[in-house]
């Protein structure tokens, strides 16, 4: 299905100028291969999320067996050149037909793929018209829910501001440095280096410490087993349902296959040959995205802070290798405070398409607002955690959908 429209592609200047009309064509496909050329072109510069990596999404679709009819790839071209691509899938949530990003909350942020420079040159009205036109072909959908889109300012323009209704969400944390020396001197004070050294000495007192980066391959399968076993233990201690104890685990197993097209990097810290901390990362261009981290639950080993010792080595490895960005995802943690020098606000975007979708979007926004208020209040957050742990303890163990 394709439609065409005319929009003004012009800078926002103080004095009016003659509009330069550009033809925008929009089409919907249910097959990723049909939009692959546009996807690759838009992702050539850089991406904000693994969910914008074509190999990542292709593997997700295959592993979770998402039906073709539920795959929606909306493409806008400006004078024949790709301008925007929105990859989403349809699911039913309490009777509401929702379109959302494929990996959901398994990545730190999500976003449409866009030609940001051309989008920024358009005026606010033209961008609003573009998003409206892009969603024009949609049928059989009540609501578009686009979770955790980074606030993206290009030449002073918030290029996603006109994309539906938005709600402030969490913050995305990244380390952005030219090299390891810059990261080290900027983020590690004298007292921080001393503290890291003392933790390292405690760990080394327990035995031989080694660290390595391992790319996807036969050895990775056994490593993932350890990673998810350590994570499961951590979730149990926190009273949280394990988000990997479901079909999404099949996806992570699929990413380490040679044909997946996903550039997986596993960073592994060992003590006397046994894995005590690990990180699962996806590389794209000069960016590295950390999706999962784990460490041993042995109290003796934890005295040496294996998770922090692993991350210290990860940072040096990543920036020594020429990467410019290490993305540590959304939500504040102590390690992000130590290492991340760039913080980006995230927003949830809603586009209701039916009366049912309007009601669902209103309810969901209210729930998300309440969650944010609870997380910002230490007393309410502690109470919520205790309640969550109690409810999880009383629930029967079963695998649910995590996406």
């Amino acid at each position: 299905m394709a439609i065409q429209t005319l929009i003004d592609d012009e800078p926002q200047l103080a004095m009016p100028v003659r509009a330069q009309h550009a033809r925008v064509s929009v089409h919907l496909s249910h097959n990723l291969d049909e939009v692959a050329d546009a996807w690759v072109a838009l992702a050539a510069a850089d991406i904000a999320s693994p969910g914008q990596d074509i190999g990542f999404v292709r593997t997700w679709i295959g592993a979770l067996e998402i039906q073709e009819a539920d795959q929606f790839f909306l493409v806008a071209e400006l004078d024949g050149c790709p301008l925007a691509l929105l990859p989403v899938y349809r699911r039913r949530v309490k009777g509401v037909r929702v379109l959302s990003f494929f990996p959901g909350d398994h990545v730190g942020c999500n976003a449409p793929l866009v030609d940001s420079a051309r989008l920024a040159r358009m005026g606010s009205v033209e961008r609003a018209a573009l998003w409206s036109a892009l969603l024009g072909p949609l049928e059989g959908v009540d609501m578009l829910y686009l979770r955790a889109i980074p606030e993206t300012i290009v030449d002073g323009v918030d290029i996603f501001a006109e994309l539906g209704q938005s709600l402030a969400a969490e913050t995305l944390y990244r380390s952005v440095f030219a090299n390891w020396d810059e990261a080290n001197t900027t983020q590690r004070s004298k007292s921080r280096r001393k503290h890291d050294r003392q933790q390292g000495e405690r760990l080394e007192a327990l035995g031989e410490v080694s660290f390595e980066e391992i790319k996807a391959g036969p050895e990775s399968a056994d490593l993932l087993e350890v990673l998810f076993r350590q994570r499961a233990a951590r979730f149990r201690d926190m009273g949280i349902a394990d988000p990997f104890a479901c079909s999404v685990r099949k996806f992570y197993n699929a990413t380490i296959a040679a044909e997946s097209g996903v550039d997986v990097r596993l960073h592994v810290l060992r003590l006397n040959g046994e894995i005590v901390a690990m990180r699962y990362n996806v590389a794209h261009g000069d960016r590295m995205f950390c999706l999962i981290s784990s460490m041993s639950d042995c109290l003796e080993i934890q005295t040496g802070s294996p998770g922090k010792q692993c991350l210290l080595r990860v940072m040096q490895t990543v920036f020594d290798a020429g990467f410019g960005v290490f993305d540590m995802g959304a939500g504040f943690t102590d390690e992000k405070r130590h290492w991340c020098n760039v913080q980006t606000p995230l927003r949830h975007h809603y586009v209701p398409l039916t009366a049912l979708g309007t009601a669902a979007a209103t309810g969901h926004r209210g729930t998300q607002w309440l969650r944010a208020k609870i997380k910002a209040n230490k007393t309410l957050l502690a109470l919520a955690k205790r309640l969550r742990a109690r409810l999880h303890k009383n629930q029967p163990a079963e695998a649910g959908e995590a996406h």
Side-chain angles (χ1 to χ4, degrees):
M1 181 183 297
I3 60 175
Q4 288 188 332
T5 185
L6 289 175
I7 63 173
D8 292 336
D9 180 23
E10 63 175 355
Q12 294 297 288
L13 303 176
M15 297 295 292
V17 297
R18 183 175 61 87
Q20 299 298 314
H21 292 289
R23 184 169 296 277
V24 171
S25 62
V26 174
H27 68 274
L28 164 66
S29 175
H30 295 283
N31 187 310
L32 189 152
D33 290 334
E34 292 179 356
V35 302
D37 288 345
W39 191 314
V40 172
L42 290 170
D46 56 54
I47 61 174
S49 164
Q52 294 179 313
D53 181 290
I54 190 169
F56 189 97
V57 172
R58 191 191 302 277
T59 304
W60 188 279
I61 290 170
L64 275 69
E65 300 178 355
I66 298 174
Q67 298 299 307
E68 187 170 278
D70 291 325
Q71 302 171 36
F72 287 70
F73 302 99
L74 294 149
V75 180
E77 293 184 342
L78 182 61
D79 287 338
C81 296
L83 176 63
L85 189 157
L86 181 62
V88 285
Y89 82 109
R90 181 173 57 190
R91 58 196 175 111
R92 283 188 176 269
V93 182
K94 298 180 180 179
V96 182
R97 299 166 299 178
V98 180
L99 281 184
S100 54
F101 291 114
F102 285 94
D105 58 4
H106 284 271
V107 297
C109 69
N110 299 277
L113 293 103
V114 297
D115 183 334
S116 57
R118 298 195 80 176
L119 206 59
R121 290 197 297 270
M122 297 166 62
S124 177
V125 173
E126 285 73 30
R127 281 192 299 275
L130 169 68
W131 297 124
S132 179
L134 187 67
L135 303 180
L138 288 177
E139 295 179 354
V141 178
D142 296 307
M143 179 179 78
L144 188 70
Y145 169 51
L146 303 178
R147 181 188 180 279
I149 294 181
E151 180 183 86
T152 307
I153 309 298
V154 179
D155 295 333
V157 176
D158 185 349
I159 63 173
F160 293 125
E162 296 80 15
L163 180 51
Q165 303 167 329
S166 65
L167 176 69
E170 292 189 297
T171 300
L172 182 69
Y173 291 85
R174 288 172 172 160
S175 295
V176 182
F177 296 105
N179 50 56
W180 164 243
D181 286 341
E182 183 182 3
N184 187 33
T185 56
T186 302
Q187 297 301 117
R188 297 177 74 212
S189 63
K190 183 178 180 179
S191 60
R192 181 74 243 166
R193 289 195 294 271
K194 179 181 178 180
H195 187 65
D196 289 340
R197 184 174 65 254
Q198 290 172 338
Q199 289 180 332
E201 290 170 351
R202 285 196 291 269
L203 190 62
E204 290 170 355
L206 299 175
E208 181 182 355
V209 178
S210 63
F211 174 83
E212 60 183 324
E213 177 183 275
I214 299 173
K215 295 187 178 182
E219 184 184 0
S220 303
D222 291 338
L223 298 177
L224 284 185
E225 286 296 324
V226 176
L227 175 77
F228 288 116
R229 186 168 64 246
Q230 291 179 344
R231 285 304 305 175
R234 177 61 174 161
F235 288 130
R236 283 195 301 271
D237 291 342
M238 297 173 65
I240 298 175
D242 186 350
F244 305 112
C246 62
S247 56
V248 76
R249 172 67 185 277
K250 185 179 177 182
F251 160 75
Y252 286 100
N253 291 338
T255 61
I256 61 175
E259 65 273 14
S260 75
V262 184
D263 188 356
V264 174
R265 310 287 180 94
L266 299 177
H267 290 123
V268 183
L269 184 72
R270 288 185 170 92
L271 176 65
N272 296 325
E274 296 296 324
I275 297 172
V276 294
M278 193 188 318
R279 285 182 175 265
Y280 174 103
N281 312 283
V282 172
H284 183 104
D286 73 340
R287 300 189 172 199
M288 182 87 74
F289 301 89
C290 181
L291 272 65
I292 313 171
S293 62
S294 73
M295 69 174 183
S296 169
D297 61 352
C298 173
L299 295 179
E300 182 182 15
I301 292 175
Q302 287 184 3
T303 61
S305 301
K308 292 181 179 179
Q309 287 297 304
C310 182
L311 182 55
L312 173 61
R313 291 164 173 80
V314 168
M315 287 295 177
Q316 183 168 2
T317 300
V318 166
F319 290 111
D320 272 347
F323 287 93
V325 178
F326 186 69
D327 185 305
M328 296 180 68
F332 179 79
T333 63
D334 193 49
E335 64 183 18
K336 294 174 185 178
R337 176 175 64 85
H338 289 154
W339 286 109
C340 297
N341 63 327
V342 174
Q343 300 178 19
T344 303
L346 298 176
R347 297 185 302 224
H348 303 320
H349 289 246
Y350 300 84
V351 184
L353 301 171
T354 66
L356 178 59
T358 298
T362 301
H364 194 274
R365 290 181 68 195
T367 301
Q368 293 295 317
W369 177 86
L370 181 60
R371 288 181 62 186
K373 290 295 183 182
I374 291 174
K375 293 182 74 171
N377 185 298
K378 292 183 179 180
T379 302
L380 292 177
L381 180 59
L383 179 62
K385 286 182 176 180
R386 288 198 298 270
L387 179 61
R388 180 181 62 191
R390 183 176 299 176
L391 291 173
H392 176 63
K393 183 178 180 180
N394 294 331
Q395 286 179 347
E398 61 181 32
E401 289 300 319
H403 59 283

